[in-house]
Amino acid sequence: MKNKSNILLIYTGGTIGMVKDYESGALKAFNFDKLLKNIPELKQLDCDINSVSFDMPIDSSNMNPAHWVEIVTIIEENYESHDGFVVLHGSDTMSYTASALSFMLENLAKPVIFTGSQLPIGDLRTDAKENLITSIQIAALQRNNRPVVQEVGLYFEYKLYRANRTTKINAEHFQAFASLNYPELIESGVHLKVSEEYLLPYVKRKKFKVHRYMDTNVAILKLFPGIGPAVLEGVVNIPGLKGVILETYGAGNAPNEPWVIDILKKAKKNNIHIINVTQCSGGSVSMGRYETSKQLEELQVINGKDITSEAAIAKLMYLLGNNVSSKLFKSIFETSLRGEIQEN
């Protein structure tokens, strides 16, 4: 008979880890060592819960790749001793961090579930308790002595999504995240409804490997009506730049004025990777469908397809950090590595 699942909570910062001091009205950091005392419902879960916090918990607006490395290092150090991981993170940049971890954790065979909340854990109407309890429950889910989820997920407001498919869509509603191009993996109701057909399938995986180097010589540029040569040139001429996520209109369209092509041609000659990603929340790039994207296709701009901007920037940092050759870069970026992109 299998022992209880061991779940590790990793607190990085964010609203979910705050409680209100009712005497002063101020928010203060939650003591995760007293988790079971404050949330007795967790005792009903058939798992053992340990916790670790950043030495200095941070607002997620201050999150950066050095902190991503800190998270993956904690996971690596506890990978053999724990069956699943729940990362508590501020919601503002959660999709960026969760997407990054999906690439940094290669051959992952255990659940890494990101969650957070819109209200502090001690607030009367908080969403923190449900998000936390269900995230732990999902991280502990096993079938045939194997974790049900073997990927990086993001759980918020009754739904587990593939992390690298998510984007934050609302700053006020409890339903803060959406996955507009890929269905939810699990829905929480009276029971947990697992959509196994959407989970990354179980395969006999190679050895778990952690990637720590993410190259930050990248940029995102969102096109807008009235954008001029100075803006585009200013971005592609950033010293040391290696890649640009170009957020285009609709199905991957951009102004077809000569100066646009000239600047992008020069950028490509300087070995700068250009990735075409739609600025729409949902949908996909389809280069060549309209005349205004034909020139990008002819320039061999990388087709981001239906990837989110958050996953695109993380994937770009990851591939650059792994020194993928210029010859292979386009084909590898356009290939699904962690379920982040629809290839067909």
Side-chain angles (χ1 to χ4, degrees):
M1 188 173 174
K2 190 183 182 303
N3 294 327
K4 288 183 178 182
S5 293
N6 286 323
I7 305 301
L8 182 65
L9 286 185
I10 303 169
Y11 177 57
T12 68
T15 302
I16 193 168
M18 307 302 289
V19 288
K20 185 180 284 186
D21 184 323
Y22 287 101
E23 289 184 10
S24 66
L27 293 175
K28 60 182 182 180
F30 182 77
N31 184 351
F32 283 92
D33 291 334
K34 297 181 179 177
L35 192 63
L36 290 174
K37 180 182 176 184
N38 285 273
I39 310 176
E41 297 93 331
L42 290 173
K43 292 176 183 175
Q44 297 179 49
L45 297 177
D46 190 27
C47 60
D48 292 320
I49 303 166
N50 301 307
S51 67
V52 61
S53 296
F54 273 16
D55 291 337
M56 293 285 292
I58 60 166
D59 186 292
S60 74
S61 296
N62 291 318
M63 187 61 66
N64 63 47
H67 297 120
W68 299 345
V69 170
E70 194 173 345
I71 299 169
V72 298
T73 299
I74 292 170
I75 291 171
E76 183 181 40
E77 289 171 350
N78 292 276
Y79 193 75
E80 295 303 322
S81 58
H82 289 80
D83 301 292
F85 303 86
V86 174
V87 182
L88 306 179
H89 192 290
S91 62
D92 285 352
T93 60
M94 191 187 296
S95 288
Y96 289 95
T97 301
S99 294
L101 258 70
S102 75
F103 298 111
M104 297 170 81
L105 302 172
E106 187 177 357
N107 301 322
L108 181 66
K110 297 181 180 183
V112 175
I113 310 300
F114 276 77
T115 196
S117 65
Q118 296 288 64
L119 290 173
I121 206 164
D123 201 279
L124 180 64
R125 296 177 52 254
T126 186
D127 54 331
K129 278 191 178 183
E130 197 284 322
N131 286 349
L132 178 59
I133 291 167
T134 308
S135 292
I136 294 170
Q137 188 176 12
I138 289 170
L141 272 183
Q142 300 237 345
R143 186 171 293 127
N144 300 322
N145 286 333
R146 276 197 211 112
V148 171
V149 178
Q150 299 185 34
E151 58 182 286
V152 182
L154 189 156
Y155 182 82
F156 229 87
E157 188 65 5
Y158 305 114
K159 290 182 179 180
L160 177 75
Y161 305 105
R162 177 165 297 154
N164 57 33
R165 290 290 194 151
T166 62
T167 191
K168 186 174 181 182
I169 57 165
N170 201 294
E172 294 183 357
H173 294 172
F174 286 149
Q175 192 172 347
F177 290 86
S179 171
L180 296 170
N181 288 331
Y182 199 79
E184 63 265 18
L185 307 178
I186 296 177
E187 186 170 10
S188 172
V190 175
H191 304 286
L192 290 179
K193 180 185 173 186
V194 181
S195 298
E196 297 203 29
E197 67 272 27
Y198 298 128
L199 290 164
L200 285 179
Y202 170 76
V203 290
K204 192 168 183 180
R205 301 183 192 277
K206 298 174 185 174
K207 187 178 179 183
F208 175 63
K209 183 178 180 181
V210 170
H211 297 267
R212 286 183 171 78
Y213 188 59
M214 301 289 273
D215 194 323
T216 58
N217 291 296
V218 296
I220 298 178
L221 176 60
K222 184 171 185 171
L223 298 184
F224 58 91
I227 190 171
V231 174
L232 187 54
E233 279 187 327
V235 171
V236 299
N237 288 329
I238 293 170
L241 187 74
K242 295 178 184 175
V244 178
I245 305 295
L246 199 62
E247 288 194 351
T248 55
Y249 307 124
N253 305 311
N256 55 4
E257 298 174 53
W259 63 264
V260 175
I261 306 306
D262 289 343
I263 293 170
L264 294 181
K265 269 184 183 174
K266 286 178 187 173
K268 283 186 65 65
K269 279 183 182 177
N270 290 328
N271 294 318
I272 294 172
H273 301 290
I274 301 163
I275 297 94
N276 186 358
V277 171
T278 176
Q279 58 185 245
C280 299
S281 298
S284 180
V285 165
S286 181
M287 286 197 292
R289 184 176 169 190
Y290 295 98
E291 189 63 35
T292 45
S293 66
K294 193 77 178 168
Q295 78 277 17
L296 299 180
E297 185 179 45
E298 290 169 356
L299 267 177
Q300 288 290 293
V301 165
I302 296 168
N303 188 342
K305 303 178 184 180
D306 64 345
I307 198 169
T308 64
S309 291
E310 293 92 335
I313 200 74
K315 188 173 186 177
L316 181 56
M317 289 182 186
Y318 168 72
L319 294 180
L320 289 170
N322 277 272
N323 295 314
V324 172
S325 73
S326 294
K327 286 183 179 179
L328 296 174
F329 203 95
K330 185 176 190 294
S331 62
I332 292 177
F333 197 100
E334 292 177 355
T335 301
S336 177
L337 301 180
R338 309 284 194 267
E340 76 284 355
I341 198 170
Q342 188 69 38
E343 292 191 80
N344 298 332

